[in-house]
Amino acid sequence: MATVTVVRYKRRKRISDADSPMVFALKPKSGESKIYSIEALAREIETIGSLSVEDVSHVMKSFVRAMKKVLVAGNKVKVEGLGIFYTTLTCPGVELEKDCTVRSITRVNLRFKVDNSLRLANDSTATTRGGDNNMVFELLSDKKNASGGDGGSPDDPNGSGGGEDGDNNGEAPDPAE
């Protein structure tokens, strides 16, 4: 089960409204997420399968090229266990039919609808009908963040401060937060 460190921050309820009341929200701790390249994913796949990094990398690059070709043609791509990729477009409405042309299209978007088997669920909530919970969220408290120790938090009454079994994998909190 994956553990994601989150931090509390304060923002306006309606971000663009200066008169909106201030509320607290959660966001993933910055610096925690990494961007994986095709080669990095290929190395991960090599460790769990019998294909070489080069083979996996070649197949993934070919998959991207083929997927782009299918999407540009206006079709959808369903990847079993992952989801459906499709395109949408943005076009402002006009009053006259003759003014509604392809030049009116202002943006083309790539969209993704996640497959039910991949949906991520928070372990701190009840199990849903869609599947088992598969993520744990750990709130990084201000005390723990400032001192680098186990300050605990209102959401962690035992003050373990770490992930599962109180183990924080030896990683120090980000001092920039």
Side-chain angles (χ1 to χ4, degrees):
M1 194 172 309
T3 301
V4 177
T5 305
V6 295
V7 293
R8 197 179 285 128
Y9 71 103
K10 198 172 186 179
R11 67 171 177 85
R12 299 223 175 263
K13 187 170 186 176
R14 279 183 242 104
I15 294 172
S16 61
D17 183 4
D19 296 329
S20 180
M22 297 299 283
V23 295
F24 287 97
L26 297 174
K27 65 180 179 180
K29 182 178 176 231
S30 65
E32 291 285 313
S33 64
K34 301 173 183 103
I35 297 174
Y36 278 73
S37 65
I38 286 179
E39 283 72 25
L41 279 175
R43 284 191 294 276
E44 289 286 326
I45 293 169
E46 181 186 43
T47 63
I48 59 173
S50 61
L51 297 172
S52 70
V53 172
E54 293 80 14
D55 290 340
V56 174
S57 179
H58 178 71
V59 168
M60 291 175 74
K61 288 176 183 176
S62 297
F63 172 76
V64 170
R65 284 191 303 271
M67 190 168 134
K68 183 177 179 181
K69 183 179 177 182
V70 169
L71 290 169
V72 166
N75 297 307
K76 297 178 182 181
V77 176
K78 181 175 183 177
V79 181
E80 289 295 324
L82 185 62
I84 300 171
F85 293 87
Y86 61 99
T87 56
T88 62
L89 56 91
T90 303
C91 179
V94 294
E95 292 183 16
L96 300 175
E97 183 179 356
K98 69 178 179 87
D99 294 336
C100 185
T101 65
V102 293
R103 289 194 169 267
S104 303
I105 298 171
T106 57
R107 179 181 295 154
V108 178
N109 303 299
L110 176 61
R111 303 286 188 205
F112 173 72
K113 183 179 183 303
V114 69
D115 188 84
N116 284 335
S117 66
L118 183 68
R119 288 195 192 276
L120 303 177
N122 184 358
D123 190 49
S124 65
T125 59
T127 301
T128 62
R129 289 183 290 157
D132 293 333
N133 296 330
N134 52 10
M135 292 188 78
V136 174
F137 291 94
E138 173 187 318
L139 180 62
L140 184 66
S141 70
D142 291 334
K143 291 179 192 173
K144 179 179 172 187
N145 193 21
S147 67
D150 292 331
S153 72
D155 298 329
D156 186 9
N158 298 328
S160 67
E164 296 176 15
D165 301 324
D167 180 15
N168 65 0
N169 299 326
E171 293 181 3
D174 184 5
E177 284 292 308

